[in-house]
Structure formats: C-alpha cells, structure tokens
Amino acid sequence: MKTLVIVSHPSLETSVINKRWVEELRKYPEKYTVHELNKVYPDGNINAEKEQQLIESHSNIVLQFPFYWFNCPPLLKRWLDDVFTYGWAYGSNGGDKLKNRKAALAVSAGINKEDYSEEGRYRYTLEHLLSPFETTFLYCNADYCSFFAFYGAENEPSASELEKSAQDYLNFVDNL
C-alpha cells in the first residue's frame, strides 16, 4: 500500500522546502499520495469521514508542515482534532484505525539546528518540541517512526542543499 503524506502549509506555492518536497513525492504517484489540506479545505471545514477513509486506504502516514511558533499550522491542528476521533483513532467501539500504522513527521524549521538544543537559543530540541505529535500517535497505537527535519529554512538554501534535502526526505519516507 501507498504512503499518505498530509501536507499543511498556508502558502505552499511560495514555499521553498515544502514545495520542493511535494514536487519530489509527486514523481512517484504509485508510492505516495500527496494530500494538500490547504487546497482541499481552503475554508477550514474538514470532512472527517472522508479523511478517515483516506487514511484507512494507506499503510503509512506522514504529516508534513512548516514548524512555526513551535507548532504546526492551525489547519493541521484542526485536522487532527476533527479526524483522530474517539471510536475511530482511539477508545472503544473500533477505535483502532491507526493501530500499527506507521506514522512520521516531516518539518521545515526556520531556525538553525544549533538553536534547537538545551544550550541553544530556545533551550529545547526539535524532538522535544515535537513530542505532542509523537504522543498523539502513541496514544492511538500507531507505530511512530520519528521525524525528518530541514533546519535553517529562513536562510535561502542553495540549490544543492535543496536537492539533498529532497533526496534525504524521499529516503526517509521510503524507509518507513
């Protein structure tokens, strides 16, 4: 089965990193389904049942987003709240639809990796700051497979950095 990549980016068309990652994934439609939340739900009204069916038709799930204000974009948070419901994602009455499904994150972080450390500017690692997502997947009995990150997106990456990031991301998703 294919991997579902849920992309949440309020301005993907002007993105450098996330846009490049999407372009790379789209080269392999037999392996990945790229689902752009901002394109599908510009009004923010999420069809939870449709989203649940989409997840159920894939073996793996990746949440891809820019990491800003130390969190995900609001539409992705709403998507999680609306889609990962009691009785479907967790709880009794069949709440096991994410059980053993591989799940991962792909984030672009504007600041440098050194700033995401105990000694760095923000005193926390990206792993620590992303722990609510990990905990969500663990709570739903999914098989959380960590995260892929591009650091320093605020600085315009060179063409070679961009290509390396796209290839590294593809390898990460392939190895879920």
Side-chain angles (χ1 to χ4, degrees):
M1 261 205 257
K2 293 166 53 168
T3 295
L4 175 62
V5 181
I6 303 291
V7 178
S8 181
H9 196 299
S11 56
L12 187 62
E13 61 281 349
T14 62
S15 167
V16 175
I17 300 299
N18 282 274
K19 180 179 173 184
R20 181 64 190 93
W21 288 352
V22 166
E23 290 169 353
E24 193 64 29
L25 291 168
R26 289 196 191 280
K27 292 178 184 178
Y28 306 95
E30 71 284 358
K31 294 168 74 174
Y32 314 111
T33 299
V34 177
H35 186 55
E36 295 180 48
L37 293 182
N38 296 77
K39 190 180 283 185
V40 177
Y41 301 111
D43 59 1
N45 294 319
I46 296 168
N47 182 334
E49 186 177 318
K50 180 181 171 187
E51 296 299 305
Q52 291 168 344
Q53 291 170 355
L54 185 61
I55 292 169
E56 289 178 34
S57 69
H58 290 79
S59 57
N60 305 325
I61 182 171
V62 175
L63 304 180
Q64 177 187 319
F65 57 93
F67 192 66
Y68 58 79
W69 291 118
F70 308 98
N71 210 324
C72 66
L75 185 59
L76 180 56
K77 175 61 172 113
R78 180 166 186 181
W79 182 89
L80 288 165
D81 291 344
D82 290 356
V83 176
F84 286 19
T85 57
Y86 177 84
W88 184 82
Y90 67 95
S92 57
N93 301 323
D96 65 353
K97 300 302 189 260
L98 296 174
K99 186 175 184 177
N100 299 324
R101 191 176 307 275
K102 291 186 179 201
L105 306 174
V107 298
S108 58
I111 58 178
N112 295 321
K113 188 172 185 174
E114 302 78 42
D115 291 325
Y116 286 113
S117 69
E118 291 178 13
E119 303 79 28
R121 182 174 178 193
Y122 301 106
R123 301 185 324 192
Y124 293 99
T125 64
L126 191 54
E127 181 176 34
H128 180 89
L129 294 167
L130 291 171
S131 64
F133 296 95
E134 176 181 3
T135 305
T136 297
F137 283 124
L138 294 174
Y139 187 76
C140 296
N141 293 309
D143 180 9
Y144 180 70
C145 300
S146 193
F147 66 92
F148 178 84
F150 181 90
Y151 295 92
E154 286 178 354
N155 309 318
E156 189 73 27
S158 68
S160 63
E161 289 173 317
L162 196 55
E163 289 312 304
K164 181 176 180 346
S165 174
Q167 290 307 308
D168 289 348
Y169 177 42
L170 199 60
N171 289 335
F172 173 79
V173 176
D174 280 343
N175 289 312
L176 290 181

